[in-house]
Amino acid sequence: MANKVKEAWRSGRAVVNGWLAIPNGFSAEMYAQAGWDSVTVDMQHGIQDYLSCIACFQGMQPHGVTPLVRVPWNEPGIIGKVLDGGAYGVICPMVNNAEQARNLVAYCKYPPQGTRSNGPIRAGIYGEGGSYQKTANDEILVIPMIETSEALDQLEAILDVPGIDAIYVGPSDLGLSLGLPPKLDREETNILKIYERLIRECDKRGIAVGLHNGTAAYAKRMIGMGFKLVTISNEVGLMVAAARAAVREARG
Amino acid sequence: MANKVKEAWRSGRAVVNGWLAIPNGFSAEMYAQAGWDSVTVDMQHGIQDYLSCIACFQGMQPHGVTPLVRVPWNEPGIIGKVLDGGAYGVICPMVNNAEQARNLVAYCKYPPQGTRSNGPIRAGIYGEGGSYQKTANDEILVIPMIETSEALDQLEAILDVPGIDAIYVGPSDLGLSLGLPPKLDREETNILKIYERLIRECDKRGIAVGLHNGTAAYAKRMIGMGFKLVTISNEVGLMVAAARAAVREARG
Amino acid sequence: MANKVKEAWRSGRAVVNGWLAIPNGFSAEMYAQAGWDSVTVDMQHGIQDYLSCIACFQGMQPHGVTPLVRVPWNEPGIIGKVLDGGAYGVICPMVNNAEQARNLVAYCKYPPQGTRSNGPIRAGIYGEGGSYQKTANDEILVIPMIETSEALDQLEAILDVPGIDAIYVGPSDLGLSLGLPPKLDREETNILKIYERLIRECDKRGIAVGLHNGTAAYAKRMIGMGFKLVTISNEVGLMVAAARAAVREARG
Amino acid sequence: MANKVKEAWRSGRAVVNGWLAIPNGFSAEMYAQAGWDSVTVDMQHGIQDYLSCIACFQGMQPHGVTPLVRVPWNEPGIIGKVLDGGAYGVICPMVNNAEQARNLVAYCKYPPQGTRSNGPIRAGIYGEGGSYQKTANDEILVIPMIETSEALDQLEAILDVPGIDAIYVGPSDLGLSLGLPPKLDREETNILKIYERLIRECDKRGIAVGLHNGTAAYAKRMIGMGFKLVTISNEVGLMVAAARAAVREARG
Amino acid sequence: MANKVKEAWRSGRAVVNGWLAIPNGFSAEMYAQAGWDSVTVDMQHGIQDYLSCIACFQGMQPHGVTPLVRVPWNEPGIIGKVLDGGAYGVICPMVNNAEQARNLVAYCKYPPQGTRSNGPIRAGIYGEGGSYQKTANDEILVIPMIETSEALDQLEAILDVPGIDAIYVGPSDLGLSLGLPPKLDREETNILKIYERLIRECDKRGIAVGLHNGTAAYAKRMIGMGFKLVTISNEVGLMVAAARAAVREARG
Amino acid sequence: MANKVKEAWRSGRAVVNGWLAIPNGFSAEMYAQAGWDSVTVDMQHGIQDYLSCIACFQGMQPHGVTPLVRVPWNEPGIIGKVLDGGAYGVICPMVNNAEQARNLVAYCKYPPQGTRSNGPIRAGIYGEGGSYQKTANDEILVIPMIETSEALDQLEAILDVPGIDAIYVGPSDLGLSLGLPPKLDREETNILKIYERLIRECDKRGIAVGLHNGTAAYAKRMIGMGFKLVTISNEVGLMVAAARAAVREARG
């Protein structure tokens, strides 16, 4: 059950990540065929819950994208459930200090590295011959979100927690935390400097940096800056934008 | 419960119609805010059933689009159910002769014009003070699809059936029926002549003509040709196309 | 698997029947505890489909009510499915002549009386030791709706079809068919005379007569007139009426 | 996105609140038309989860009632999700001291007042032109439940936490906590004195007091006593009571 | 989109077919990994509807089994929907004469061989580069059920209808039709002679014969007799039998 | 609402427990008829959430099995919800010390023994005449899982917490925690000694010991050793094993 995102990172390549807010397996299935490296079910701000996440995973599975989840909160119950359900990685919101990061790692890994409970009911499919439990601690991505000023203050301590594979930046929350309006694709100099610092500190430690983007053009720039995982809007955002444009054009 | 599509047609305006294949109320809710005049739940080729249709209607309702349904077949059970569920119009596939058209009208209208059974459980919401049943026969759109060579042979007889408000053209099936490959946005001369004939015959009778289109550009041209209801792809098609373009751009 | 409705009728007692429009097993479960003899899932005008019907049946089962279904149409596919799913009886809309009545009977009964296909996947639960198929033809209620002027014209022929256990009267559709407004709890003399005729003709043949009522008071009167199955509104109608009254009272 | 409950309170008017235990959008949609000012989805004791809450919100939306949620627990994951899903207010059980109250406020408000994460995926609908985030901290109601003796001991400290708009009293739990049987519509003198104290202390601080009631008559009395938000039973309770009464009446 | 069942038949091999009555994608996903050649969603007697069929197809897809459906009835609406949803073949109950067989073929095939409407919304996934419609008429299996004495009387006429790939025998209904009790794994001499006749007549025409079996042992014998598709019970039957055996053994 | 598991234990009998991973009421309904004393909905590692748990409970209810839940985590929100939904007992993973055990007891019991909130919306069904709340503290089973080396270190302290009815052993997690591979039906001497110690310490205190088993044969042995609740695999595991065996046998 090699994790293709990890493979991409080992070869120095950035991954392009999809994002699912619509709680439906058919929608996920069609979207997963658009060329993404990985697709994340957003259980925090998307209209998703645990069973819709499973349905989205089932829809994605034949299409070769790595299934990730953004969990609603840093809580062991739901993290265990989505991993058992087949997530290859967990993006966790609002990780603001080393203790929270250590908890996240513990929830994601089997003993002795962590406290995850055994029972990979769907995830076991991925491993031939019961091999899942042997490789999961190495293959599952642990990805705390860095999106507050507190997290920036604690950055090095967070990044030094063993077991973190990547961090993920939420530009809206980061902005709110710094007293700026919530939005994506930011151009404020201080924000861009933060991005540079994040990349620098992560690069030192072999940790990838991910970013949520509003547009493909900005995502491309951010790959150039050193981000290794870029998300572009989400499926419903792309759909509504395309629909608006189509209506406008048809009406002339 | 005035039907806004009928109002548009009375004022000579063409309506731009959305199309739903994803069986989810949230998806429908977001899509319904993109500017469409009407949105059709596609129960024939979409991944939709009766309860998902209701969920889509609920999602759409606050956003002022007229709810339509394409039923899977010309069958009284399901036609009655979607009308009771709140459809302002029924697009019915494969209506190939006058008898089928008469049946369709009968299924859509209360006595004495038809045989629809009373019980507008959600649709009754639209009418203040129990007025729904008084206006439904006038306001509900009856829209047979003309999409086979047999239907073209029987065109005048079909159009002369009292109670037909519009016809809807399925270019893929029409092509298949004529020995051509199934596709939208057709440029074959004989197809375009058929479109002209349809518009001409319908115009004589005060019947609107609708067309399923693949692109907004083609839809705009067809409005110019005289079509009064144009659909542009469907929500999942727009989403996947937008996703493909975003991935490509981000990858450079 | 004795059918308690049949038992009641054999002892001369009228049954009080509930009616479900909300597609939810919990709602059905609570409602089923209110004292009904039987509860009908309304797949014609209710917001119900096949799987919601199964969920409602599961909710009802511990509470001793006889599960019935009103199917959306006189069609063998759905009739077979609801019987396999555990219905003890089928109320079928718009049965207007003897041929339609014979079809309905055939869809509801195993050979040689009918053409029902074997496979009572949930219904088999009711019978201990595989006995279901032996008693189903006797225990399952076949109940055509008499609700059009055509059906009144064909009444004797319909009632003479072997295998009919009861008829069910839809006052709204009957009214519409006779050029009257659609409503329940009717007081028109000609309607009441029709009711008397229905009861008289059915009594001759040992067939019960059911009626959909808007209020309990009217239902009680109709029991007095000879109706043997009375439905009172539906669960959502009772709920909304109670809610309106509560709001009004609280506001003073 | 003005919150109509806040508007009512500013004008001194008490609001009459509905309560949803049935996890179904259609049921919610019909119930929402009964005249309520606000309707609360009960995720604690109702048969509700996150996606059913969204479905209920969609059903309510066209009917002008303010959507509230009682969350299952004072936990940031689910509070964030229901606010993003469109709740105008959060009723939170078992808030027993000032720290718990501060946490609740923090989970409900964007920085700098709190720690809510940005992403109002459905809630954003309410605000035209991206205005939601600017007004949410002011418009979203934060409503801790006061329902234990510990909470009464800590009352002033709880009420002094900035950001609390109202409190909500659960009479059953309050009774249990005081060694009394769990029930609504209580007449014990010491309970009524507690109610008076709650209203007095809240009035001082411009905080509204809400109460869960079993009957409209009691709710009306409580409005007279100074409660500003009264709930009457829930939809399933009203339905079953109405059904019992109807069965009894029909049977004579 | 080569159909693996057809490939097996071309190489003279019998296929072992699974059968799904539980309307759940996870259940289907696990069951599909047990070694079946094909798995059929039973929409006639199983607790399945259209959307649960899609969910089962999604669960099966990564595991290399050919997805088939038994439709509830020989009706063009649902047949079109399941084919668009991705079925590689349709098993249709109660095909009793050549006209019904011709209708079935017509519903399953695009013009000019039939009247299927274009729109393979999920099925299109199978074909690379829009190739689905070019191969579907050849690859989709059309499988009428032969399960009544009428069908036996009309056997040759049914088998001579162009476009039939296989027939499927329902032993319970066949028994009922012949006045025998409904059961599987029959040993009556006259039934076994019927099986031999079916195989003989089908072999002449290059048509495969399938059979529903209760046990693997009987299925194996029937492969030996010449059946080319054998189903063994269904997933819920196997589960309950295994559970009963486990309980008994644990209790000693 | 006598709890049959408690009754069995009082009479010295071991109970055989089923386990549900498939989120479907029909599947649960059929499985519940296989002879189990109790059936547990596994919300931790099963594909289950709160509403699927309710659906499973509804399916089980007529069949006389005691409904239990394994919750995803020791968290008051979900524990309250499943108890209100009708669970007769809560199995809670990863209870590693006395404080966690005390919390678990508190979440499960009404005051004064605990802090459970009143509102047994489905559970109230079990009690005639509002008696549920009077007996729930006595009848509801509180069952912490002992499955880590930390829990073994704290065993006596955990067992001394008042209100614990049983413990449940997860052999896979216990193994992982001790540096052994995760599996059921263990034969390591040190594990078997741990089992003996657990039984000895629990017997002293009148606490039952439960175990998750892979096979009925091992479960039977463990009853002999003194376990009082034995689970055998889960429904999907039994189903897939039976399906594999059937395919193998049919293929010869």
Side-chain angles (χ1 to χ4, degrees), chain A residues 240 243-244 247-248 251, chain B residues 13 15-18 30-39 63 65:
Chain A
V240 174
R244 278 189 208 284
V247 171
R248 237 184 345 251
R251 290 236 172 83
Chain B
R13 195 165 60 79
V15 300
V16 181
N17 177 56
M30 301 307 266
Y31 178 77
Q33 299 174 59
W36 311 100
D37 293 294
S38 56
V39 175
H63 305 296
V65 294

Side-chain angles (χ1 to χ4, degrees), chain B residues 155-249:
Chain B
L155 184 66
E156 286 76 8
I158 293 171
L159 297 182
D160 287 341
V161 169
I164 290 175
D165 298 286
I167 62 170
Y168 190 73
V169 179
S172 299
D173 279 318
L174 186 61
L176 273 177
S177 175
L178 298 172
L180 300 168
K183 61 172 185 174
L184 303 173
D185 297 359
R186 314 195 72 111
E187 299 292 352
E188 299 95 332
T189 310
N190 60 332
I191 297 282
L192 294 174
K193 283 201 174 149
I194 290 168
Y195 291 178
E196 285 165 6
R197 177 183 164 217
L198 293 172
I199 292 168
R200 196 170 53 238
E201 291 298 324
C202 286
D203 277 355
K204 283 188 206 166
R205 294 163 174 89
I207 290 174
V209 190
L211 183 68
H212 208 94
N213 304 276
T215 62
Y218 190 88
K220 187 180 174 185
R221 259 176 66 200
M222 293 300 108
I223 293 174
M225 190 191 269
F227 283 96
K228 285 287 180 279
L229 182 148
V230 293
T231 307
I232 305 161
S233 185
N234 61 13
E235 92 285 47
V236 75
L238 293 176
M239 176 178 88
V240 174
R244 277 188 208 285
V247 171
R248 240 188 339 255
E249 184 180 357

Side-chain angles (χ1 to χ4, degrees), chain D residues 43-46 48 73 172-173, chain F residues 50 76 81 84 117-119 121:
Chain D
M43 294 180 70
Q44 185 189 22
H45 296 304
Q48 297 279 5
W73 206 251
S172 299
D173 279 318
Chain F
Y50 165 70
K81 282 178 78 68
D84 290 346
S117 174
N118 182 60
I121 189 156

Side-chain angles (χ1 to χ4, degrees), chain E residues 13 46 105 129 216:
Chain E
R13 195 165 62 79
V105 172

